[in-house]
């Protein structure tokens, strides 16, 4: 595994520190970006912060540790064949005054993303959300998704979902 035990330890130490300023994500190819960004421009408060993505790890390593992290990721990703992921729209109610519209992977794609996420999480254990934050967010597990927007209630999200159902009914992208 790349440089023996000493090399792996050195790289791991170099990439040990994590920060909420970076994330490890899957980026879709630009095929579906037009429609996704059309929705996000109007409804996602973080459209200017992030491109369309599926988060694998957040926090992730500090920018100065990217070279070391990249070496480790190259080794891990060699174990994963290229894959095509498929998504469908879903509303997710967070509480009475906030519902999100997400693109969620179908079952087969979700399993592929979960396997990838588990592998990178094992290599970067320092990049795990704290138990406190997970409880605060009312999350106890990784849920792969792409956020399209946030809405005051589920009815608003369902209206937008219906308007874009045909355009986003079969969004797929290669990874």
């Amino acid at each position: 595994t790349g440089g023996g035990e000493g090399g792996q330890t050195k790289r791991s130490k170099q990439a040990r520190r994590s920060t909420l300023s970076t994330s490890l994500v899957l980026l879709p190819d630009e095929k579906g970006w037009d429609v996704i960004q059309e929705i996000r421009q109007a409804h996602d408060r973080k459209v200017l912060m992030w491109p369309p993505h599926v988060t694998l790890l957040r926090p992730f390593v500090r920018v100065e540790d990217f070279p070391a992290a990249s070496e480790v990721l190259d080794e891990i990703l060699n174990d994963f064949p290229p894959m095509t992921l498929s998504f469908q729209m879903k509303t997710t109610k967070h509480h009475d005054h906030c519902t999100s519209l997400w693109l969620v992977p179908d079952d087969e794609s979700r399993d592929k993303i979960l396997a990838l996420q588990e592998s990178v999480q094992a290599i970067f254990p320092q990049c795990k959300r704290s138990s406190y934050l997970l409880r605060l967010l009312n999350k106890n597990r990784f849920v792969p998704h792409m956020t399209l927007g946030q809405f005051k209630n589920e009815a608003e999200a369902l209206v937008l979902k219906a308007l874009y159902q045909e355009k986003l009914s079969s969004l797929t992208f290669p990874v």
Side-chain angles (χ1 to χ4, degrees):
T1 57
E5 190 177 320
Q8 182 68 33
T9 302
K10 182 180 178 186
R11 281 197 304 272
S12 296
K13 284 182 181 177
Q14 287 176 320
R16 184 168 289 165
R17 300 171 300 159
S18 65
T19 177
L20 286 170
S21 298
T22 65
S23 298
L24 180 63
V25 302
L26 293 176
L27 293 173
D29 63 5
E30 294 185 13
K31 182 177 120 186
W33 275 41
D34 291 346
V35 176
I36 292 170
Q37 288 297 79
E38 181 180 320
I39 296 169
R40 291 183 72 226
Q41 296 265 337
H43 300 284
D44 187 2
R45 63 182 174 264
K46 299 207 175 168
V47 67
L48 298 177
M49 184 182 292
W50 305 103
H53 68 281
V54 175
T55 301
L56 295 174
L57 296 178
R58 184 161 190 262
F60 192 50
V61 300
R62 297 175 185 270
V63 172
E64 61 267 22
D65 295 331
F66 277 7
S70 177
E71 288 181 37
V72 175
L73 284 169
D74 280 345
E75 292 175 20
I76 294 293
L77 294 176
N78 283 332
D79 293 337
F80 286 87
M83 53 185 140
T84 298
L85 304 174
S86 299
F87 291 82
Q88 56 202 13
M89 285 188 290
K90 176 188 176 196
T91 60
T92 300
K93 186 174 181 178
H94 302 290
H95 51 73
D96 287 343
H97 304 290
C98 183
T99 297
S100 292
L101 183 59
W102 286 353
L103 285 170
V104 296
D106 65 15
D107 291 344
E108 182 181 342
S109 296
R110 184 188 67 240
D111 291 346
K112 292 175 183 178
I113 295 170
L114 290 174
L116 178 58
Q117 194 277 337
E118 287 172 11
S119 292
V120 296
Q121 184 69 78
I123 295 302
F124 298 101
Q126 74 278 21
C127 298
K128 191 170 188 175
R129 290 247 172 133
S130 72
S131 299
Y132 168 76
L133 183 58
L134 291 173
R135 280 192 311 274
L136 186 66
L137 296 171
N138 198 25
K139 293 181 180 178
N140 58 5
R141 60 185 170 75
F142 171 70
V143 179
H145 67 278
M146 262 190 277
T147 300
L148 295 175
Q150 301 83 28
F151 301 85
K152 291 179 188 173
N153 56 56
E154 191 172 22
E156 286 182 11
L158 289 170
V159 167
L160 193 76
K161 179 181 174 189
L163 289 172
Y164 282 91
Q165 188 64 48
E166 189 174 319
K167 287 182 180 180
L168 288 175
S169 63
S170 61
L171 178 68
T172 61
F173 65 87
V175 177

